[in-house]
Amino acid sequence: MTFLSGGIGGARLAYAFQQWNRRAGLPCAFTAIVNVGDDFTHLGLRVSPDIDSVTYHLADLGDQHRGWGRAGDTDAAIREVQRVLPEAGWFQLGDLDIAHNAMRTHLLTEGLTLSEVTAKLTARYGVDMRVLPSTNDPSPTRVRFSGPNGTSVDRGFQEWWVRDRAEPLPQSFEFPLVASTSPAPGVIEAISGADVVVIAPSNPIVSIEPILAIPGIREAVERVSAPVVGISPIIANKPVRGWADRCLQVEGVDCTASAVAERYGHRNEGGLLDGWLVDEGDVTSSRSFPGRVAASPLRFTRGEEDFQIVDALFELAAKCEMQRSVNSHRSVNSLIPQSERITHSV
Ligand code: FO1
């Protein structure tokens, strides 16, 4: 079971998968492929926010209110930065988080790849789920703004998202280095060998798209024989958190569960999804999506609702699997002369 993850929605899904796996008493069968487009160097530290959100949630160390950083962390270091160098104090790195990012920076400087650093740090935090960066190559998300007289400027993602609180609305999001990246070791195999591929309820534009844009990843998802199901990051036309609505607006996508499903596309029409899991209130409006649509409560609580979401996801995946095997049977059948075809109703 492999899932594409970014931001807080991906981290909460990772935690739900982990708890479901533990309740089932099974060895961990999940692999997270995590966005690295948010990564940047700040105060000399190499920060990987989406990898850290997944790691902290799985290690039960995450700040549940903010969704990022460490629970109960102190802020002596960042307050000193704000006192002495306020222009660098906008990114709230807690003291333990600084230690974590210093360890990442130290290991990277020693020559380890981001995959190796992530494997080492997640193991040290007792995390048994496999957490893979989408790529080991730098692939920063940049935010482009049109300027006067046809000029334009771009800004780092974190500067826009955190320092500038997602203001103003940009002209576009760009992944300028993505063409020269390659999937991190194990990523393509984790997709092609999966029995289910899940797209987490992450920001489709700045969390999932940067993963799919890594050469080979979108193609692997399109080609995989397993069912591909997504979880809507939008409930009742509002993002569960963050500014996904503003990001969707930049790409001309309505802030609705069905519009996001259409953006990912249906497998039979060259898209990615076989199935789409939406909040109960969004089922009717999602009828336009040609794939299978299923309903579930979609707000993670770290309690019973999480198990309901995972169960609903697996039930949807099983139905999509059945549909895919019927479709492939039909397509194989169509190659067989009519007289020799096996015909049975499913
Ligand atoms: N998000 C914020 O909105 N404000 C912050 O000050 C902030 C600090 C921060 C520090 C470490 C880290 O791993 C994540 C942090 N985030 C912060 C979240 C970060 O911007 C993520 O990239 C977004 O949540 C989107 O994934």
Side-chain angles (χ1 to χ4, degrees):
M1 149 63 103
T2 296
F3 60 107
L4 308 188
S5 167
I8 315 310
R12 290 194 164 144
L13 177 64
Y15 182 78
F17 280 152
Q18 172 179 269
Q19 296 313 97
W20 186 94
N21 213 131
R22 286 182 178 165
R23 178 184 274 190
L26 299 169
C28 187
F30 295 90
T31 298
I33 296 174
V34 186
N35 169 44
V36 296
D38 290 8
D39 294 15
F40 74 138
T41 299
H42 189 64
L43 296 170
L45 299 170
R46 188 66 189 160
V47 184
S48 296
D50 288 353
I51 289 175
D52 290 351
S53 285
V54 169
T55 304
Y56 290 156
H57 276 66
L58 291 175
D60 244 338
L61 295 171
D63 179 313
Q64 288 313 315
H65 171 65
R66 298 186 308 186
W68 44 265
R70 290 279 293 264
D73 205 348
T74 52
D75 59 358
I78 198 65
R79 275 190 297 109
E80 179 65 354
V81 171
Q82 288 162 346
R83 185 179 72 82
V84 178
L85 196 69
E87 64 272 27
W90 52 271
F91 196 68
Q92 297 295 326
L93 280 162
D95 296 328
L96 293 176
D97 209 7
I98 285 174
H100 183 82
N101 285 285
M103 288 185 277
R104 169 182 295 111
T105 308
H106 168 73
L107 293 171
L108 287 169
T109 309
E110 297 260 297
L112 273 68
T113 64
L114 183 58
S115 300
E116 291 163 341
V117 172
T118 305
K120 185 183 279 285
L121 291 181
T122 48
R124 292 292 170 88
Y125 281 102
V127 170
D128 53 6
M129 188 181 288
R130 217 164 45 128
V131 179
L132 303 179
S134 56
T135 177
N136 283 329
D137 305 313
S139 184
T141 297
R142 302 290 295 176
V143 189
R144 182 159 296 278
F145 303 89
S146 47
N149 318 319
T151 58
S152 77
V153 289
D154 75 332
R155 195 178 300 168
F157 175 76
Q158 294 297 342
E159 283 79 356
W160 177 67
W161 183 267
V162 176
R163 188 191 60 199
D164 305 343
R165 297 185 57 71
E167 291 289 353
L169 203 63
Q171 176 189 328
S172 60
F173 297 102
E174 296 174 345
F175 319 128
L177 303 182
V178 76
S180 57
T181 65
S182 52
V187 164
I188 297 300
E189 297 76 3
I191 295 170
S192 50
D195 45 8
V196 186
V197 175
V198 176
I199 297 183
S202 308
N203 185 315
I205 309 300
V206 295
S207 289
I208 300 298
E209 190 58 38
I211 299 173
L212 295 169
I214 308 283
I217 293 184
R218 181 187 299 276
E219 297 75 11
V221 178
E222 285 168 347
R223 248 192 343 259
V224 69
S225 55
V228 179
V229 293
I231 304 176
S232 174
I234 305 295
I235 297 179
N237 302 354
K238 285 190 181 54
V240 176
R241 57 176 297 114
W243 286 292
D245 48 343
R246 296 175 64 71
C247 298
L248 289 166
Q249 188 182 345
V250 171
E251 301 288 330
V253 180
D254 290 344
C255 189
T256 65
S258 60
V260 172
E262 275 146 42
R263 163 82 183 200
Y264 285 133
H266 183 227
R267 287 288 282 277
N268 295 358
E269 295 161 1
L272 299 173
L273 297 176
D274 293 297
W276 187 235
L277 190 64
V278 300
D279 183 75
E280 276 106 346
D282 291 324
V283 173
T284 314
S285 63
S286 299
R287 286 280 176 240
S288 58
F289 176 63
R292 274 186 183 279
V293 176
S296 164
L298 280 193
R299 292 186 191 280
F300 293 102
T301 62
R302 298 167 65 81
E304 269 315 305
E305 288 77 5
D306 291 19
F307 294 100
Q308 286 170 19
I309 295 173
V310 177
D311 287 339
L313 193 68
F314 287 163
E315 197 181 312
L316 173 60
K319 287 178 182 166
C320 292
E321 172 79 41
M322 175 62 78
Q323 187 67 57
R324 286 176 65 75
S325 58
V326 165
N327 292 351
S328 62
H329 176 78
R330 278 201 190 115
S331 58
V332 166
N333 239 3
S334 65
L335 301 174
I336 300 167
Q338 181 73 31
S339 57
E340 297 166 41
R341 275 186 201 169
I342 308 154
T343 52
H344 56 73
S345 62
V346 175

